Amino acid sequence: MITHLVRLMWNKRRANALILLEILLAFLVLFGVYAFGFYNLDRFSSPLGFSYENSVGLRLNLPEDMDSASTVSMQKRIRDEILLVSGVEQATFIGSINPFSGNMYFNGNDDNGYELRTQGFFADEHFAETMNLELREGRWFDETDVTSKYIPVLVNGALMDEFYPAANSLVDSILIIEGEKKIIGVVENFKYRSNFSENAPLTFFPTRSRDVTKYPFQMMIIRASSGRTAAIEEPIYNLVRDITKNTDVVIWNMADDRIKANKPVVVPLVVLTLISTFLLINIALGLFGVLFTQINRRRAEIGLRKAMGATPAQITTQFVLEVLLVATAALLLGVFFAVQVPILELTSIPAKFFYFGIVAAIITILLIVFLCASIPSRQAAGLQPADVLHED
Amino acid sequence: MIELKNISKSYRTDTIETLALQHMTMSVPSGEFLSIMGPSGCGKSTLLNIMGLIDEPTEGTMTLAGKEIAGYNGAQMARFRNEQLGFIFQSFHLINDLSVVDNVELPLLYRKVGGKERRRLALEALARVGLSNRAKHFPNQLSGGQKQRVAIARAIVGRPNIILADEPTGNLDSQMGDEIMEILLKLNSEIGTTIVMVTHDERMAKKTHRLVRLSDGERVS
Ligand SMILES: Nc1ncnc2c1ncn2[C@@H]1O[C@H](COP(=O)(O)OP(=O)(O)OP(=O)(O)O)[C@@H](O)[C@H]1O
Ligand SMILES: [Mg+2]
C-alpha cells in the first residue's frame, strides 16, 4: 500500500508541491519559535538565587569632597537609621550595578592559566543576608575582611562549574582578577539581570575593592517585612534626604523592576507565540480546504476503489497516509534546514534546544496534518460508489 | 450463480421518487454470458450496480454464490467485491495519476498480495488483453480501446468468478468494440467466468448466451 501511495504522490508531485511548501514553512516557523521558547523557559526555570519580593532599591548622592572616614561613617549612619524604620528588615550598600537594571560589569584575563571572563558585582557585608543568597560553600564578607592580607571575593556556582569543574572547594584559592584576590565563598546562583539571563560566571567584590573617596557605594537594597514595601518608602526617602542634604533620592520597587527586566524576552515570546498560533490556524484551515477540494475532486477514484474492494477504513487510511507522506517529505526537507542552525553554530543558544525544537515542531505538524486529513478522508470513505461513479 | 428475487430500487431526490427497478426477478447461472438491453434510463446500470454490491436495493433479496447479501456488513461486501467481482465501466474509470500497470494492480492492493506478486499478476493480465507494451504508460496516453482493455485487465487480474460490464463497448468504434468482445468471449469460454454485460448493440448481444430486455425498470423478456 505504501509503495503504491508513494508512486501515486510522486506522479502528482506538482499538485502536492504547494502543500509541501506550506508544511515546510509552518515547520520552520514552529521550529524557531519552539527553540526560542524552550531556551527561554529553561533560563526562566533556573532559580534567580536571591529574593526580591519585599525589597526596594535606592539611589542616593553622598556629598562630594568627603574623605573616606566621613563617607564610611555617613553610609553607616544612613544604614543604621534605615534599619530603625518600622517594617525594614535588612539593608545593604551595593556598587554601581544593581539587579534588574540592565547594567553589567565585565572583567577578564588569562593570568589564572585559563581565559577567565566574569561579570562583577559590588556589595558590602550585609548583602548576602539582605538578599537571602544561598552559599554553596564558605561565607559572605564580614568585618575581618577589612584588614585581611588579600582582598576577598566570592564567585558564583557558574564560575566554579565552568573554570574549576574538578575542584571540590574553592575556598582559600587565589583568583587573579584586578590583582590577587582570595576566594572566601561560592554563591550558588545569582541571576541578577533577569529571569531569562544566562547563569554566567560572576565574581562578587567587597567595599574594600574600590576607592571609597572616588567610587563610594551609593545604591542600596532594603528588604521590608512582607506587605510593608510601599510603607517604608516615604520615611526612608525623608531620612536619606536629610542626612545627605540632597533631594536627589530615588526609590524603586524591585519586584516591578524584575517584570521590566523580563520584558525584552516576554514580549517577543508572547508576540511570536501569537503570530505562530495564528499562522498555524491559517495553515490548518488552508490545508483542510485544499484536502477537502482535492478529495472531492477524486470522488470517482474513491468510488472506483470501493468497487474494487477497498473498505471504508482502507479509504480513510489511504488519504491520511497520502497527506502524511507529503508532510514527511516536507519535514525531511525542513529538518535538513533546521539542523544547520546548531551544526553551524549560528547562535549562542545551546544545540539541544534546537533539537527539542525540531522534535516538537514535527509532532505539532504531524498532529495538525493528521487532524486536517482525517475529517475529509472519513467523509470520502462514506461515499456510495454507485453515486460517485454515476456522476461523470 | 446470481439470484435476484423481487428486487426494487427507487431513488428519492427532494420531491421526486424515481423507480429505477421494479420487482425484478432473475438468475444468472455460473459460466453464463448474459447480456442486458433496454432503452436509456430503464435501470440497466442500476441492476448491474446492485448485482455488484455497489448499490443497495430498496426491496427484495439477492443471493450471490449461495449467500444472501442482506446480512453483509460494509467490510464483508468490500471483500466480496474484491474477491468475486470484476467491474468494467462504460467510461473506463482509470486513475489518471497511476500508470497502466498500477491501475491494473488496484484490486490486488486490497488483498494481502505482496508487491512483486502484484506486479507479476498485473503484467500477466495486461498480456491477456494484448497491452504488455503499454504497462508504463499513463491512461491519458492511450486510445479509448486501449483504456477499456486496461479496465478489462484490471477486472480480471484478481481472477473473479463474475464480471459485470456496463456498456464496455459503448464509447468505442465498432472495430475496437469487436476486439473487446473477443476478449470477453474468450474469458467466458476458456476460464468459465460468468459475465453480465449491458449493451445497446444487438450485434454484441447476439454473441452471448442469453439476452434480457428491460423497459422502465421491468423485465420484458
Ligand atoms: N443516483 C441516482 N439518483 C437519482 N436517480 C437515479 C440515480 N441513478 C439512477 N437514477 C435514475 O434511475 C433510472 C435508471 O437509471 P440507470 O442508470 O439504471 O439507467 P440505464 O438503463 O443504465 O440508462 P443508460 O442506458 O442511459 O445508461 C433513471 O431514471 C435514472 O435517472
Ligand atoms: Mg447505464
Side-chain angles (χ1 to χ4, degrees):
Chain A
M1 187 68 163
I2 291 283
T3 50
H4 173 81
L5 291 181
V6 169
R7 282 204 291 275
L8 182 59
M9 289 296 100
W10 176 248
N11 294 340
K12 294 165 61 146
R13 56 194 171 275
R14 221 174 297 166
N16 286 323
L18 200 74
I19 299 182
L20 188 137
L21 225 72
E22 204 172 25
I23 294 174
L24 176 63
L25 176 81
F27 170 80
L28 289 177
V29 170
L30 268 184
F31 157 70
V33 172
Y34 274 130
F36 182 71
F38 286 153
Y39 170 68
N40 282 299
L41 281 181
D42 183 67
R43 292 272 78 77
F44 190 86
S45 65
S46 86
L48 281 175
F50 62 93
S51 60
Y52 59 86
E53 291 84 353
N54 298 311
S55 297
V56 296
L58 179 148
R59 189 194 338 262
L60 50 79
N61 283 284
L62 294 169
E64 295 188 4
D65 306 327
M66 284 201 300
D67 60 18
S68 59
S70 43
T71 302
V72 169
S73 78
M74 183 175 283
Q75 283 173 328
K76 185 172 178 340
R77 186 177 152 215
I78 291 171
R79 180 169 180 273
D80 288 346
E81 291 197 22
I82 284 176
L83 288 177
L84 295 176
V85 172
S86 146
V88 170
E89 287 187 344
Q90 253 308 340
T92 177
F93 270 93
I94 59 174
S96 52
I97 315 293
N98 58 318
F100 306 134
S101 68
N103 293 339
M104 272 204 285
Y105 170 81
F106 271 105
N107 205 325
N109 57 55
D110 49 13
D111 300 335
N112 293 282
Y114 58 86
E115 201 175 317
L116 171 68
R117 193 168 159 73
T118 173
Q119 300 176 40
F121 195 91
F122 301 85
D124 72 7
E125 63 269 28
H126 308 291
F127 186 73
E129 200 194 331
T130 310
M131 305 297 278
N132 295 320
L133 293 189
E134 189 192 326
L135 264 63
R136 187 184 286 186
E137 60 164 335
R139 59 169 177 84
W140 188 255
F141 306 126
D142 62 27
E143 296 79 24
T144 63
D145 298 323
V146 178
T147 52
S148 60
K149 178 179 167 218
Y150 291 106
I151 295 179
V153 291
L154 284 93
V155 297
N156 69 346
L159 190 147
M160 181 172 181
D161 296 341
E162 182 164 346
F163 298 119
Y164 304 93
N168 287 325
S169 166
L170 286 185
V171 170
D172 293 337
S173 311
I174 298 298
L175 183 71
I176 304 172
I177 180 143
E178 300 173 0
E180 290 191 339
K181 302 279 191 295
K182 188 182 241 173
I183 297 174
I184 60 166
V186 178
V187 173
E188 196 59 67
N189 288 304
F190 188 59
K191 281 197 335 187
Y192 66 98
R193 294 175 58 208
S194 81
N195 285 100
F196 295 106
S197 59
E198 286 263 9
N199 205 352
L202 180 123
T203 307
F204 293 93
F205 296 94
T207 322
R208 198 183 143 191
S209 67
R210 286 291 176 271
D211 182 339
V212 179
T213 46
K214 276 196 203 142
Y215 310 107
F217 286 4
Q218 300 193 83
M219 273 199 271
M220 297 186 74
I221 294 172
I222 300 149
R223 175 157 55 82
S225 50
S226 174
R228 302 296 301 276
T229 319
I232 63 170
E233 288 190 15
E234 187 164 344
I236 289 177
Y237 174 87
N238 291 337
L239 80 85
V240 173
R241 179 197 57 201
D242 294 346
I243 296 172
T244 59
K245 310 244 180 334
N246 191 330
T247 57
D248 188 6
V249 178
V250 186
I251 301 181
W252 63 88
N253 188 313
M254 282 187 70
D256 295 345
D257 265 25
R258 183 188 71 99
I259 289 168
K260 266 187 244 160
N262 285 340
K263 258 191 188 155
V265 175
V266 170
V267 170
L269 209 57
V270 169
V271 170
L272 278 178
T273 306
L274 284 179
I275 289 177
S276 54
T277 309
F278 187 72
L279 187 86
L280 277 188
I281 292 173
N282 252 306
I283 283 178
L285 287 178
L287 202 62
F288 186 80
V290 169
L291 294 180
F292 206 83
T293 46
Q294 269 198 3
I295 290 175
N296 255 304
R297 233 181 275 142
R298 292 166 67 186
R299 290 163 69 91
E301 176 188 335
I302 294 160
L304 178 81
R305 284 179 185 271
K306 288 189 106 172
M308 301 287 117
T311 61
Q314 281 168 327
I315 295 286
T316 312
T317 311
Q318 177 194 338
F319 283 97
V320 172
L321 276 179
E322 280 186 11
V323 187
L324 285 181
L325 274 177
V326 178
T328 306
L331 291 176
L332 284 177
L333 208 63
V335 168
F336 171 78
F337 288 126
V339 291
Q340 305 304 321
V341 180
I343 286 175
L344 301 178
E345 296 183 3
L346 296 179
T347 70
S348 60
I349 297 176
K352 68 170 178 184
F353 296 107
F354 292 108
Y355 296 125
F356 288 160
I358 287 174
V359 173
I362 288 177
I363 292 172
T364 312
I365 296 277
L366 288 183
L367 221 71
I368 289 179
V369 166
F370 183 79
L371 286 179
C372 287
S374 47
I375 296 166
S377 303
R378 222 166 279 256
Q379 206 189 26
L383 291 173
Q384 265 289 333
D387 291 344
V388 287
L389 288 173
H390 192 256
E391 276 169 7
D392 61 356
Chain B
M1 180 83 151
I2 309 168
E3 283 205 84
L4 305 182
K5 263 200 208 112
N6 216 12
I7 292 278
S8 295
K9 174 75 186 180
S10 60
Y11 292 105
R12 210 163 282 148
T13 43
D14 293 337
T15 48
I16 317 158
E17 190 177 348
T18 317
L19 257 172
L21 283 179
Q22 297 184 53
H23 308 294
M24 179 76 58
T25 296
M26 65 187 290
S27 69
V28 185
S30 298
E32 188 177 44
F33 194 158
L34 172 75
S35 48
I36 298 173
M37 293 189 74
S40 182
C42 70
K44 304 182 296 294
S45 295
T46 305
L47 177 62
L48 219 60
N49 288 344
I50 287 172
M51 286 181 176
L53 305 185
I54 59 180
D55 208 349
E56 285 169 14
T58 336
E59 242 182 81
T61 56
M62 178 166 64
T63 42
L64 276 170
K67 285 209 190 86
E68 193 164 327
I69 299 308
Y72 279 25
N73 64 25
Q76 285 170 318
M77 286 214 258
R79 175 131 183 237
F80 193 92
R81 284 198 291 267
N82 183 258
E83 291 174 355
Q84 305 290 330
L85 300 173
F87 287 91
I88 304 169
F89 305 95
Q90 179 174 0
S91 50
F92 323 132
H93 285 306
L94 300 178
I95 297 174
N96 285 324
D97 291 310
L98 287 176
S99 67
V100 163
V101 64
D102 282 334
N103 263 288
V104 175
E105 280 184 11
L106 217 53
L108 303 179
L109 204 61
Y110 302 109
R111 296 183 190 178
K112 300 269 172 286
V113 181
K116 280 212 184 100
E117 179 69 358
R118 272 205 315 259
R119 181 97 340 172
R120 191 183 68 74
L121 291 170
L123 289 172
E124 203 179 284
L126 277 171
R128 280 193 79 91
V129 298
L131 270 183
S132 296
N133 56 340
R134 292 284 189 276
K136 292 286 171 194
H137 283 57
F138 281 83
N140 53 19
Q141 299 167 321
L142 301 179
S143 72
Q146 288 170 331
K147 284 185 193 173
Q148 197 58 299
R149 282 194 274 162
V150 174
I152 293 176
R154 183 181 61 192
I156 63 174
V157 72
R159 302 193 176 280
N161 293 321
I162 303 163
I163 284 182
L164 303 170
D166 195 350
E167 299 185 44
T169 60
N171 270 338
L172 306 175
D173 63 30
S174 60
Q175 194 201 327
M176 284 193 180
D178 287 343
E179 279 178 29
I180 299 300
M181 198 58 197
E182 283 309 310
I183 297 171
L184 292 178
L185 282 167
K186 235 171 114 183
L187 268 174
N188 175 254
S189 60
E190 287 182 4
I191 308 176
T193 311
T194 310
I195 301 179
V196 181
M197 178 181 76
V198 171
T199 182
H200 279 293
D201 191 333
E202 295 277 0
R203 225 165 36 87
M204 302 287 178
K206 284 216 176 75
K207 298 182 184 173
T208 65
H209 301 156
R210 186 159 65 106
L211 169 65
V212 168
R213 285 185 196 275
L214 301 189
S215 176
D216 277 338
E218 286 180 289
R219 193 171 162 181
V220 289
S221 77

